[in-house]
Amino acid sequence: MNRVYEFLKKAGTYYLATMEGDQPRVRPFGTINLFEGKLYIQMGKVKNVSKQLAANPKAEICACIGGEWLRVACELIEDERFEAKKAMLDAYPHLRNMYSEDDGNTQVLYIQNATATFSSFAAAPETVTF
């Protein structure tokens, strides 16, 4: 899991895929936080991505750094605790211009049942689960 965290932090931007009915939806994200032994992402509850994950928590994350890429198939589970939201916003203080722990919109979700695959053109894929 730490390797996934480090890769996503270094990449800066990753892409999150969700489903809206039978239509895949993909968008860029940039938040990843390690809190209480779990990886978290952040979004606003008013966004379509939040509604899509409420209907179907299965998601996939993809990120690239040079000639290496990471895919993470997982479920994203909401954590409504103030502490989890605070940890994310403390890690990304620029988000405080748009979000706060108690605004009713800030949403943090942790990665569960994950299969992460590290790939490159130079080596065989490596898979880890967490």
Side-chain angles (χ1 to χ4, degrees):
M1 179 178 63
N2 285 333
R3 186 174 171 200
V4 171
Y5 171 74
E6 293 298 331
F7 193 99
L8 293 174
K9 274 298 250 196
K10 185 175 179 183
T13 299
Y14 59 88
Y15 297 88
L16 175 66
T18 59
M19 291 296 291
E20 185 174 64
D22 66 349
Q23 180 64 50
R25 302 289 184 196
V26 180
R27 79 280 293 153
F29 268 71
T31 55
I32 188 73
N33 195 37
L34 187 56
F35 176 69
E36 294 183 346
K38 296 178 183 174
L39 292 180
Y40 281 77
I41 68 168
Q42 184 273 336
M43 65 189 65
K45 287 185 178 185
V46 298
K47 295 185 176 182
N48 288 337
V49 64
S50 175
K51 295 171 182 75
Q52 293 157 6
L53 288 167
N56 180 354
K58 291 184 180 180
E60 192 154 303
I61 294 169
C62 185
C64 298
I65 302 173
E68 299 178 48
W69 60 96
L70 167 66
R71 291 176 58 204
V72 182
C74 62
E75 295 176 26
L76 292 170
I77 308 302
E78 184 174 12
D79 185 338
E80 295 183 359
R81 294 178 301 149
F82 179 92
E83 297 82 6
K85 294 175 188 178
K86 182 178 183 330
M88 178 64 77
L89 294 173
D90 286 350
Y92 293 89
H94 66 278
L95 290 177
R96 291 191 178 278
N97 295 331
M98 298 178 288
Y99 298 101
S100 71
E101 295 86 347
D102 57 359
D103 63 7
N105 182 42
T106 300
Q107 184 176 36
V108 293
L109 302 99
Y110 62 88
I111 296 173
Q112 177 177 280
N113 298 326
T115 300
T117 304
F118 295 89
S119 301
S120 75
F121 293 117
E126 295 179 51
T127 301
V128 295
T129 57
F130 59 95

